[in-house]
């Protein structure tokens, strides 16, 4: 009975009208797929969010959708939690562990708010890494001074990206191609620039390159995902095109089940 009431409560919260969020006229890249409007499609995962939001992130079976003052957490396409946020999101991270960046603080499910005004942040088993205009921190401890733009991590390393990358925990300075816009870390390091996608060794040696105009970079550990002219492109880790069927458009169809009784526009 209590389980049923809890599920009903989540249903009512998710059905409630969402605050106004910025328009999402272009596809948003997530691990394994894309979000367009309310529709999420990533491999076998297909669902419709209560309303569009640009703050969506995925890690395996976990999907986070952040709205002003509200965070929805899905598992295997089903809503599991709705948590209040103390503000409007600026970014959301699903991995290594869930985290939401707000204008003047961070929100970590299970930990609550942290008073760090961060440009980017990652929640790892070692703690929360974050950057601001002055440098890179782990919790309250300053690890390195400098101007960093964003963070990326694997189970082994955390990279802070600027004109070069700082690799932790060994504090190695890694050379980068000019103008890195995004990166993911596997056994190798993959970085996106305006020229294309580079495959680098963990020490920065170039192992491969794929020319093209791409937007965003994600990985599930087996494939790389990016957008080319608004369409999802799946690549092997050697940067060759993966032989996989991909959605050509994210319009509503009978294959997308509307969430919580709402119609997909």
């Amino acid at each position: 009975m209590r389980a049923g009431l809890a599920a009903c409560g989540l249903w009512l919260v998710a059905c409630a009208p969402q605050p106004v969020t910025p328009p999402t006229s272009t596809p948003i890249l997530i691990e394994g797929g894309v979000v367009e409007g309310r529709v999420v499609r990533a491999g076998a995962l297909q669902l419709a969010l209560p309303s569009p939001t640009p703050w969506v992130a995925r890690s395996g079976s976990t999907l986070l959708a952040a709205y002003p003052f509200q965070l929805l957490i899905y598992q295997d396409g089903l809503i599991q939690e709705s948590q209040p946020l103390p503000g409007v999101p600026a970014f959301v991270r699903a991995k290594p562990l869930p985290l939401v960046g707000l204008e003047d603080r961070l929100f970590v499910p299970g930990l609550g708010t942290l008073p760090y005004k961060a440009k980017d942040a990652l929640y790892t088993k070692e703690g929360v890494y974050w950057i601001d205009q002055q440098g890179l921190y782990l919790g309250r401890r300053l690890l390195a001074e400098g101007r960093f733009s964003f963070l990326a991590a694997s189970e082994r390393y955390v990279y802070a990206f600027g004109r070069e990358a700082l690799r932790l925990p060994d504090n190695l300075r890694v050379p980068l191609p000019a103008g890195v816009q995004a990166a993911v870390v596997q056994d190798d390091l993959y970085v996106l620039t305006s020229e294309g996608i580079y495959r680098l060794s963990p020490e920065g040696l170039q192992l491969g390159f794929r020319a093209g105009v791409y937007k965003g970079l994600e990985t599930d550990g087996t494939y790389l995902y990016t957008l080319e002219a608004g369409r999802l492109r799946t690549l092997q880790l050697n940067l060759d095109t993966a032989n996989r069927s991909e959605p050509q458009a994210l319009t509503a169809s009978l294959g997308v089940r509307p969430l919580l009784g709402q119609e997909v526009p």
Side-chain angles (χ1 to χ4, degrees), residues 179-222:
V180 171
Q181 303 168 2
V184 296
V185 188
Q186 293 296 309
D187 292 336
D188 296 324
L189 176 62
Y190 298 87
V191 298
L192 172 67
T193 74
S194 60
E195 299 175 335
I197 301 172
Y198 289 84
R199 178 187 177 192
L200 307 176
S201 74
E203 292 74 36
L205 298 177
Q206 184 172 328
L207 304 177
F209 175 70
R210 182 184 179 94
V213 179
Y214 303 106
K215 181 179 179 181
L217 194 60
E218 293 283 349
T219 185
D220 58 8
T222 302

Side-chain angles (χ1 to χ4, degrees), residues 239-262:
L239 299 183
D240 288 343
T241 300
N243 186 19
R244 304 180 71 201
S245 60
E246 299 172 350
Q248 296 303 305
L250 291 184
T251 54
S253 69
L254 294 177
V256 179
R257 177 172 55 87
L259 181 64
L260 308 174
Q262 299 186 11

Side-chain angles (χ1 to χ4, degrees), residues 12-30:
L12 290 172
V13 169
C15 278
Q18 299 293 332
V20 175
T21 59
T24 53
S25 58
T26 59
I28 299 169
L29 180 70
I30 59 173

Side-chain angles (χ1 to χ4, degrees), residues 21-105:
T21 59
T24 53
S25 58
T26 59
I28 299 169
L29 180 70
I30 59 173
E31 177 191 297
V34 285
V35 181
E36 189 171 64
R38 295 171 51 221
V39 181
V40 179
R41 187 177 296 172
L45 174 64
Q46 298 186 34
L47 63 90
L49 300 172
S51 63
T53 173
W55 303 297
V56 185
R58 181 186 183 220
S59 178
S61 61
T62 301
L63 181 84
L64 306 180
Y67 298 87
F69 308 104
Q70 184 181 32
L71 173 66
L72 303 181
I73 302 176
Y74 296 81
Q75 293 289 336
D76 297 313
L78 300 175
I79 186 168
Q80 297 296 311
E81 295 185 64
S82 174
Q83 298 191 12
L85 288 177
V88 177
F91 60 87
V92 60
R93 293 284 205 158
K95 54 188 173 184
L97 296 167
L99 175 147
V100 180
L102 305 168
E103 182 180 5
D104 60 351
R105 69 193 76 182

Side-chain angles (χ1 to χ4, degrees), residues 222-238:
T222 302
Y223 296 101
L224 301 173
Y225 303 93
T226 187
L227 295 175
E228 183 179 23
R231 296 178 181 271
L232 180 67
R233 290 290 178 258
T234 303
L235 306 176
Q236 300 181 53
L237 296 183
N238 64 3

